[in-house]
Every structure is written in C-alpha cells, then in structure tokens.
Amino acid sequence: MSRTAYLDAFKPAILFALITLAMMLRALPAPAAGAETLTVAGGCFWCVESDFESVPGVIGAVSGYTGGKSANPTYDQVSKGGTGHYEAVQITFDPARVSRETLLNMFFRSVDPTDAGGQFCDRGDSYRTAIFVSNTGEKALAEQAKKEAQRALGQNVVTPILKAGTFYPAEAYHQDYYKGNKLILTRFGPKRQQNAYKAYRKACGRDARVKQLWGSDAPFAGS
C-alpha cells in the first residue's frame, strides 16, 4: 500500500497544517558552527527523516524535493510525476560527531539501491534513490560509498550521484510526520499520526526488504 493512499484519507487536515509552516520554520534550531549537510533520496521521505534523526551527531533532517526543474513544487505535483524532482531529505550533521562517510554508508544500507523503479511499495521516478553532491570532495566520498555497497551486495547498485540543486522543503505536515500525535482518519480507522506512519511503513515492506538485502548490516530496519 503506497503512502499516497494514506494521505488521501486525511487531505482536509492539510490546509490547516500548511498554516503552521512559517511558525515551524522559525522554530527550527540554528545549525551548529561547522555543521554540514547531506542530501539523499531514499523513497518515502518520512522514513528517511525518521531514520537519520536517530543518528548521534545528526542535528536534524528536513523532508523536501530536489533534482528537478520545477520551482516550489508541491507534494501532489511531485508524486504525480513530471517535475523531475525526487522526494529527498536534507540531513544536517556535526562532522566532529559523525562523518559524511558513515552517513553515506548508513544510507545505502537503509534502502534498496538495486531498485531503479522506486522504493518498496512506492513506485515512480520521485521515489527513486539518489545522492546529491556539491563539490568534488563530496562526489568522491559518495562514489566510494557506492562502490563499497556494490561490493558488499555483489549486485549492481543503480543509485545515481547527482549535482546538488535547489532543495525545496516539503509542506509543514510532512515534517516530523513519523512522531506526530494528531488524530487522523485512515482506511483502517482513526489513528494517531505516529501510529499511521508505523502502519504505512510496515505495510510498505520497507524494513522487511532492507533486512532481506542487508541482513545484520541494516542500521534502521524496524525504526
């Protein structure tokens, strides 16, 4: 079952949530001095955000859209296709506590990098994996992590390494979705947002596939 199906059940709540966007952005903590960013696409951005915000040394993660040419895209536009954008997450981290190399290796082991058609139950271009880089140093690290993932799997890794462009934060209701406590209506009845997220993640088969592919090397399966 795709995430879009879950969203369709509570679209009336979206307008209210959008009103809080400006307040949420103002409330975001200021990055620590020397903080760096890593932008990745790993299918459902709720899941990627949830995974990486649990990593010591990660300051925060923001769900959004990047990789396409459409300015200020919406979730509906991106999920329907044609914008060229990926669902992505911009991870801000303290390199004194966790390295870019570590995060890249964790990223590959949290997705199915052999799947060129999407991730798990979410299909289509916007759900494909990718790593976005801003300079030659970042590109070299990403290429090394990709080679290591391919060696570890013994399979072809299709995740592209792309030049970073504008990152557009997603709508307010997508941010920190995995830990929200609002009561929403799903096809399974009323659920707290965080419980709806867990039900979606399980139904989508994300953790099952990652465990099948990576075994004990999977860092987040079950989160």
Side-chain angles (χ1 to χ4, degrees):
M1 182 182 301
S2 72
R3 194 193 54 214
T4 302
Y6 278 87
L7 285 171
D8 286 343
F10 57 94
K11 279 190 175 179
I14 292 175
L15 181 60
F16 174 79
L18 286 172
I19 297 173
T20 67
L21 177 59
M23 291 186 290
M24 284 186 63
L25 291 176
R26 292 192 191 102
L28 288 174
E36 298 181 12
T37 60
L38 168 65
T39 302
V40 296
C44 166
F45 48 23
W46 296 345
C47 298
V48 178
E49 184 183 342
S50 169
D51 287 346
F52 280 90
E53 285 194 335
S54 71
V55 177
V58 168
I59 298 164
V62 177
S63 292
Y65 317 109
T66 195
K69 296 181 179 179
S70 300
N72 302 307
T74 65
Y75 169 77
D76 284 342
Q77 290 170 340
V78 172
S79 61
K80 287 177 182 176
T83 66
H85 285 295
Y86 292 73
E87 279 201 12
V89 173
Q90 190 170 79
I91 302 161
T92 301
F93 64 97
D94 180 353
R97 297 184 62 202
V98 62
S99 68
R100 183 177 298 271
E101 296 97 316
T102 296
L103 294 176
L104 286 166
N105 288 328
M106 293 177 81
F107 167 70
F108 274 113
R109 287 156 181 77
S110 68
V111 295
D112 180 353
T114 69
D115 188 348
Q119 285 291 283
F120 318 107
C121 69
D122 292 314
R123 313 310 300 166
D125 289 352
S126 64
Y127 293 109
R128 294 172 298 163
T129 60
I131 298 170
F132 299 89
V133 298
S134 299
N135 54 54
T136 55
E138 291 182 6
K139 183 178 180 180
L141 291 174
E143 288 176 341
Q144 181 58 41
K146 181 175 178 176
K147 288 179 182 177
E148 169 57 24
Q150 187 159 291
R151 184 202 61 76
L153 285 178
Q155 300 181 48
N156 186 41
V157 168
V158 299
T159 302
I161 298 169
L162 305 174
K163 184 178 179 180
T166 303
F167 179 86
Y168 299 95
E171 297 85 342
Y173 66 91
H174 285 299
Q175 309 301 335
D176 290 327
Y177 186 90
Y178 70 97
K179 58 185 176 182
N181 200 41
K182 291 181 182 178
L183 188 65
I184 60 174
L185 183 63
T186 73
R187 63 179 58 202
F188 302 113
K191 284 183 178 290
R192 293 293 175 186
Q193 190 171 301
Q194 56 190 277
N195 293 329
Y197 161 74
K198 290 176 182 177
Y200 152 73
R201 182 166 179 150
K202 182 176 181 179
C204 198
R206 187 182 188 98
D207 296 325
R209 174 56 179 157
V210 168
K211 285 181 179 178
Q212 179 188 51
L213 195 63
W214 290 103
S216 61
D217 287 339
F220 303 119
S223 58

